[in-house]
């Protein structure tokens, strides 16, 4: 990375029309624009998740960002209107464009490609930006596209209440639009969640992981270089115990898009949970460096690595940062760190928070093993949990 590379901060797109569909379109537009921009070399790209706090006025300068991209989406029965603005670090408008397109997925995907290409040109002129061809296969109808957006919105929070509607929608969509690779990829992701989070109806996670592998393999057969499908397939291989295949697909995804923090974070997480902290933690840190408000799971194994090194105060700081955007696992890590620091009340509060996350609280060791945790990871976390529980009971 050279000092002359510009840095770009992409903010979540704002829905200006009321309704769930517009909200999903706004999330999807921001995410797809970011994904397309990651395919261009020549500048650093920072992202902010859809549910992240509002960016402060001094965020861009603190990140060293030369540009901030903001956008909005409005919808009607006939068309979608997308407005995108690129601001300089001094908050001056350097580029602005409004697209009005028919209400169909092909038109929306064309807008995403056009935006990525034009923004890359604006921020990369004279910086030697590498221009890569961006291609994606559209679905046959808007319902299929909306279903994928709904599933992606669920996976930004993993809320149990959103899981069943997303799963049902995907199962219907693969019957209706069986050639749409993204749907099969997202179906694979949800089968993985059903197994690892205990959402499976029959209680057998392996059955869900096998279904995930089948769905993601179908996605790749339809579109071999679909990054969403490659990430899902790598995860499915991990959860079915085919670690060499998981690593191979992960490396392929990184080769196709080396700038995408989500690819790095997923691979780093899988390496770390299998006990390979020396390779996994640096990948997680690289992903965090490119994300303004990283999801909590980006941070978990950095905290666990600090625990194994006996650096409990640093572990607590990392776990508390993760807890701002995490539903429960961070509370386990916070309890462990506070217990090592002898903080009984804080340990008790964290254990209470963890108890509200049933998938973890009901069977902590089982939860970890469903996620592919190596014995050394399970043993360390269970030892830490027992210490926390003993401190509270004393």
């Amino acid at each position: 990375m050279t000092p002359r590379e510009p840095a770009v901060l992409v903010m979540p797109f704002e829905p200006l029309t009321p309704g769930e569909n517009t909200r999903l379109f706004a999330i999807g537009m921001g995410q797809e624009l970011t994904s397309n921009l990651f395919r261009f070399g020549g500048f650093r790209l920072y992202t902010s998740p859809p549910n992240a706090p509002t960016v402060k006025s001094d965020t861009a300068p603190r990140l060293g960002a030369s540009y901030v991209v903001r956008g909005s989406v409005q919808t009607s029965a006939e068309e979608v209107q997308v407005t995108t603005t690129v601001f300089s670090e001094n908050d001056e408008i350097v580029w602005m464009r409004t697209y009005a397109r028919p209400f169909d997925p092909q038109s929306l995907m064309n807008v995403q490609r056009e935006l990525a290409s034009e923004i890359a040109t604006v921020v990369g002129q004279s910086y030697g930006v590498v221009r890569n061809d961006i291609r994606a296969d559209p679905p046959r109808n808007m319902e299929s596209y909306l279903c994928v957006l709904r599933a992606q919105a669920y996976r930004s929070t993993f809320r149990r209440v959103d899981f069943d509607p997303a799963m049902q929608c995907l199962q219907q969509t693969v019957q209706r639009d069986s050639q749409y690779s993204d749907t099969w990829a997202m179906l694979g992701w949800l089968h993985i969640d059903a197994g690892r989070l205990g959402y499976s109806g029959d209680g057998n996670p392996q059955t869900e992981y096998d279904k995930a592998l089948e769905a993601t393999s179908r996605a790749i057969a339809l579109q071999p270089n679909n990054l969403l499908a490659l990430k899902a397939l790598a995860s499915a291989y991990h959860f079915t115990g085919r670690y060499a295949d998981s690593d191979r697909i992960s490396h392929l995804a990184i080769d196709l898009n080396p700038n995408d923090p989500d690819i790095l974070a997923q691979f780093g997480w899988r390496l770390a949970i299998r006990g390979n902290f020396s390779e996994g933690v640096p990948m997680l840190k690289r992903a965090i460096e490119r994300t303004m408000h990283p999801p909590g799971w980006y941070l978990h194994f950095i905290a666990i690595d600090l625990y194994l090194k006996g650096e409990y105060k640093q572990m607590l700081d990392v776990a508390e940062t993760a807890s701002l955007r995490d539903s429960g696992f961070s509370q386990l890590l916070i309890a462990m760190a506070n217990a090592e620091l002898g903080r009984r009340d804080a340990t008790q509060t964290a254990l209470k928070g963890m108890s509200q996350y049933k998938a973890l609280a009901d069977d902590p060791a089982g939860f970890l093993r469903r996620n592919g945790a190596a014995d050394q990871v399970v043993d360390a976390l269970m030892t830490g949990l027992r210490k926390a529980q003993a401190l509270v009971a004393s």
Side-chain angles (χ1 to χ4, degrees), residues 301 304 307-308 315 329 332-333 335-337 339-340 351 354 359-370 373-391:
F301 279 92
I304 294 170
Y307 176 77
L308 294 174
M315 176 199 182
F329 191 78
L332 167 61
L333 304 181
M336 290 167 55
E340 295 290 351
L351 289 175
M354 173 190 154
L360 173 63
D362 289 352
D363 181 9
F367 175 86
L368 293 166
R369 291 194 173 94
R370 286 199 304 273
D375 287 343
Q376 71 180 88
V377 174
V378 176
D379 292 345
L381 292 179
M382 293 307 297
T383 297
L385 175 59
R386 286 191 290 270
K387 285 185 179 180
Q389 292 170 331
L391 176 64

Side-chain angles (χ1 to χ4, degrees), residues 208-226:
E208 296 294 339
Y209 299 153
D210 290 341
K211 290 179 181 178
L213 184 56
E214 180 180 355
T216 53
S217 297
R218 179 72 177 270
I220 291 296
L222 290 168
Q223 193 176 354
N225 286 338
N226 181 339

Side-chain angles (χ1 to χ4, degrees), residues 8 33 37 69 84 86 95 114-124:
V8 183
L33 171 61
L37 279 172
V69 180
T84 308
V86 178
W95 181 87
E114 291 172 35
L115 279 175
S117 179
E118 293 197 36
I119 291 173
T121 298
V122 169
V123 304

Side-chain angles (χ1 to χ4, degrees), residues 290-302:
R290 291 181 174 271
T291 310
M292 190 173 66
H293 298 290
W297 63 269
Y298 278 36
L299 300 160
H300 289 158
F301 279 92
I302 295 175

Side-chain angles (χ1 to χ4, degrees), residues 20 23-25 27-28 31 143-159 162-171 173-174 180 182-191 193 228:
E20 177 69 2
R23 185 185 74 85
L24 292 173
F25 283 137
I27 293 174
Q31 290 178 337
E143 289 77 11
S144 299
Y145 183 65
L146 272 171
C147 182
V148 168
L149 294 181
R150 186 170 292 111
Q152 289 175 332
Y154 146 74
R155 294 205 88 245
S156 70
T157 63
F158 297 101
R159 294 197 313 166
D162 297 326
F163 174 82
D164 289 333
M167 174 64 87
Q168 183 179 9
C169 175
L170 289 170
Q171 289 173 333
T173 300
V174 294
Y180 185 24
D182 282 6
T183 312
W184 288 104
M186 290 309 302
L187 182 60
W189 275 122
L190 264 69
H191 279 303
D193 291 345
L228 177 65

Side-chain angles (χ1 to χ4, degrees), residues 79-92:
E79 69 176 21
V80 176
Q81 182 172 299
V82 180
T83 299
T84 308
T85 307
V86 178
F87 295 88
S88 72
E89 58 188 326
N90 299 321
D91 212 29
E92 297 176 351

Side-chain angles (χ1 to χ4, degrees), residues 41-115:
F43 53 82
R44 289 168 289 148
L45 188 62
Y46 297 92
T47 64
S48 182
N51 56 351
T54 303
V55 64
K56 297 180 181 179
S57 58
D58 66 342
T59 298
R62 283 192 291 103
L63 289 173
S66 308
Y67 302 94
V68 177
V69 180
R70 298 179 183 273
S72 63
V73 176
Q74 299 182 72
T75 61
S76 68
E78 293 79 28
E79 69 176 21
V80 176
Q81 182 172 299
V82 180
T83 299
T84 308
T85 307
V86 178
F87 295 88
S88 72
E89 58 188 326
N90 299 321
D91 212 29
E92 297 176 351
I93 295 175
V94 297
W95 181 87
M96 184 175 182
R97 184 64 56 84
T98 296
Y99 294 86
R101 292 291 188 271
F103 199 73
D104 66 77
Q106 179 66 71
S107 297
L108 290 175
M109 296 176 81
N110 288 341
V111 168
Q112 292 158 3
R113 288 194 293 267
E114 291 172 35
L115 279 175

